[in-house]
Each structure stands twice: as C-alpha cells, then as structure tokens.
Amino acid sequence: MKKIAILTATRAEYGLLSPIIKKLKYISEIEVTVAVTGAHLSPEFGMTVNEIEQDGITVDKKIEILLSADTPSAISKSMGLAMIGFAEYFSECELDALLVLGDRYETLAVCFAALNAHIPIIHLHGGEATEGLVDESIRNVITKLSYLHFTSTESYRHRVIQMGESPDRVFNVGAIGVENAMHAELLSQTELEAKLGCVLGEKYCVLTFHPVTLEDNTAEKQTEELLKAIEKFPDITFLCTKANADMNGRIINEYLQSYADRHNHLYLFDSLGMKKYLSALRHAEFVIGNSSSGLIEAPCFQIPSINIGDRQKGRIQSLSTINCPPTAPEIEASIKKALSENFRKTLENVVNPYGDGNTSDRIVEITAEFLLQEKFKLQKRFYDII
C-alpha cells in the first residue's frame, strides 16, 4: 500500500484538485489523505473547508496558519507556522508522496517541510508565468523542489525542462479547470439564482479581483478605479467573489464590501465553490478582473474575459481575452468592447490553449504508475539542454 497526501489551502485550489482526489481514492493500492490549511480554515474567507466536507471528501488533517493580517511580516509568520505544523504532520504519517498545485506561499512552506522529511513532491501547473506576482518566484522554487511535474501546456512543459528537470518526469496534461468547465454538471441561471439568493437579471458578469503582489501599495488605487468603471454600468449585475488571502487582499475586500453596501448591482460572496462558479461563467456576459480563471476556464464558454493590470502578465491567453490597464477609462472601454456584437462574433470559434478536458485521468494514471512502480527518487540529476 502506497500513501499520498494532497494539499489544499484555497477555494480555487480545491476545485481543481477534487477530481484527482476522488479518482485516486478508487485505486485500492493507494491510500489518499487530504491535508487542509490556509484560507480554508478562516471564517473571514468563508470557512471553505466546509465545502470540501460537503463534497464527500474526508479531511484527514487541518492545520491553521493564517494570522489576522496580510502584511509581509504576517505572511512570513504564516509560512513559519505552516512549516512547523506540517513538519509535525509529516513526522506522524509515513508518506510516499505529496501532491501540490500552483504557487502559493503556504504551499512553498509545506514543500520545504516535505523536502526535509524526504517526501517526493508532485507539482501541478509549473512553468507558468505571472510576472506581476511573487507567485512567479514561488512557483519556480516549488518546481525545483519537486520530482514529478504536470504542466497545463506544452510551452510550460518546455520551461520546466529548461529548469533542469528531466523530460521523462515532466508531462503536459492540460488544465483541470478546463476539465471541470467541460464536464461538470452545471446549474441553469434560475437554479444558480436560487442557490445564491439573488436575481442576476438579463445581463451579469463575474468579477474577481486580487492584489498584484509585486507592486507596492496599488491595491487601494486599482480597486477604486475598477469600482469607478463598473459604476458606469448600473444595468449590469456584477457577481463578485472576494480576493484571496494574499498581501493587501483585505484592502480590496473592504472596498468591495463598501461598494456592495451602497449599490444594488454588485453581489459579494466569500466563495462560490466550483459548481456555482462555473455555472456563473456559463451564463455570464463576460468575466472581469485579474484571476487566472478568466484566462483558463472562461474560454470554454466562449465569453469575453477582461484581464486588468499585470497580475496575469506572461500567461498564455486565448483570443477571448481583452487586456487593459487598471484605470477607470480603460476598464470602461474594455467593458463596452466585451459587450459589442463585433467582438462577440469573433468568439464563436475560440480555441482554449489549456487542453482537451481529460486532465485528471492522465494525472491519476501517471501518479499511480510512479507510486506503484516505485519510480520516485530523492536524488535528481540536472538535465542539461544541449
């Protein structure tokens, strides 16, 4: 029997990991444990561990690490708590592998603890570029700490290999977000409105705005500009989810809450969960903000994505993406473009660059092969590109 732990710290992360967790649990020779930390365990961010348990997933370990602040100092302290908490967890259970996704600071801390515990790491979504975020550096460090890699495009696979990872350990499998968008059983707009307890109307969009963590003190100004722009469209309902637990995320959430309290065309939620979020995308006029979902999942529904600022700069995009600076006039102009018939006609044959929707099966098959055939090694030889 082989034992693998799967880490999740945020709402979006779990939505991507859930198909993998469920399919790995069907393999009798593999014991799957789920470790939950970060924003999942915070009432301020919706206590989204409840969504995991409501999904029928047993949470094996809960490790609280978040402080009641999102300053650089608080984030560093949270990373320290993550290392301490997971060092104890890893010493309690004998793991054959740890599976992680992405580029968050909590994940990096957990990976360091796994490295010290001699646990091989499986990494999803390496090789990607987000030039406006500290996540860029974190993602690359996690790549070098990991043994087995699953990337979302062939270009990203080449980047991981460029970093010295052997090609026989790096697999382009596409993005799980695309799989969820293509295969999840989604709600009608009427069903979605009933679940949310609000009326979205004839025209609504999905809004998610996060801080750009490599910029100094821009969260307040950029959120003000965004809200100035959407105020010009009172006939559009903005279905908004809060910013995540990054530095200055709370500033954004305070501005969004204040706007929602004063305007009846913006509904603000801590979290929608994967099914409600994708159902919202399916019926929306467009997506707006700076979340990766606007670039990865939204093209599946052939709707425009307004990508604001530099948070996603460098990430591969489809033709449905409208990029704009974080200023009110540019955001307003982009909304008008997203609503225009001419632009919307160009989206009929949009191709999503993030795969064909069969990602989790590939990940599970390859992971099981590496586990059951004992292909994981702690020592790695740097792969030189000649």
Side-chain angles (χ1 to χ4, degrees), residues 52-303:
I52 300 175
E53 293 172 331
Q54 290 166 8
D55 200 23
I57 298 296
T58 300
V59 175
D60 300 280
K61 192 68 176 181
K62 300 176 183 179
I63 300 177
E64 295 186 14
I65 63 168
L66 279 192
L67 303 182
S68 58
D70 54 17
T71 62
S73 174
I75 287 174
S76 293
K77 290 174 183 177
S78 290
M79 292 177 71
L81 291 172
M83 287 194 69
I84 293 169
F86 278 89
E88 293 176 351
Y89 172 56
F90 293 150
S91 69
E92 293 168 358
C93 56
E94 295 183 3
L95 292 176
D96 295 291
L98 169 71
L99 187 148
V100 302
L101 184 149
D103 44 35
R104 291 197 52 83
Y105 59 84
E106 311 99 319
T107 305
L108 177 60
V110 175
C111 286
F112 277 130
L115 176 71
N116 290 333
H118 292 182
I119 299 170
I121 299 168
I122 304 166
H123 185 212
L124 280 61
H125 279 272
E128 301 183 7
T130 46
E131 296 173 16
L133 299 178
V134 69
D135 302 23
E136 170 98 351
S137 298
I138 291 174
R139 186 185 308 111
N140 291 340
V141 175
I142 294 174
T143 291
K144 291 308 299 178
L145 294 174
S146 302
Y147 188 81
L148 180 60
H149 308 271
F150 295 111
T151 69
S152 60
T153 73
E154 190 63 22
S155 295
Y156 296 152
R157 176 176 182 266
H158 286 304
R159 285 184 182 166
V160 172
I161 295 169
Q162 275 185 293
M163 295 174 68
E165 298 300 297
S166 176
D168 60 3
R169 295 186 284 103
V170 188
F171 299 88
N172 169 26
V173 296
I176 305 174
V178 172
E179 175 178 329
N180 288 341
M182 292 177 65
H183 300 306
E185 186 177 340
L186 302 181
L187 305 169
S188 68
Q189 183 169 332
T190 301
E191 292 170 328
L192 176 63
E193 290 174 335
K195 293 277 188 182
L196 297 178
C198 63
V199 177
L200 298 172
E202 291 185 9
K203 285 187 178 181
Y204 78 89
C205 74
V206 177
L207 166 62
T208 309
F209 196 67
H210 298 297
V212 186
T213 52
L214 284 182
E215 295 177 353
D216 291 329
N217 304 315
T218 61
E220 182 175 354
K221 177 62 176 174
Q222 291 186 6
T223 309
E224 286 178 342
E225 293 294 303
L226 170 61
L227 295 176
K228 283 181 187 176
I230 69 174
E231 195 169 22
K232 299 287 184 69
F233 299 90
D235 58 330
I236 297 176
T237 301
F238 290 83
L239 178 59
C240 183
T241 54
K242 288 183 178 180
N244 56 26
D246 283 336
M247 183 173 61
N248 295 327
R250 286 177 172 87
I251 293 175
I252 292 175
N253 290 338
E254 287 171 4
Y255 271 84
L256 292 173
Q257 187 62 65
S258 175
Y259 186 92
D261 291 342
R262 294 179 288 108
H263 297 80
N264 59 11
H265 73 134
L266 188 145
Y267 294 104
L268 182 62
F269 292 88
D270 294 333
S271 171
L272 294 179
M274 185 265 287
K275 185 172 184 176
K276 290 195 289 287
Y277 182 79
L278 291 177
S279 299
L281 290 187
R282 179 184 183 184
H283 305 292
E285 292 291 315
F286 58 91
V287 179
I288 184 169
N290 58 10
S291 170
S292 61
S293 65
L295 279 63
I296 297 176
E297 285 94 332
C300 296
F301 302 104
Q302 297 180 319
I303 58 174

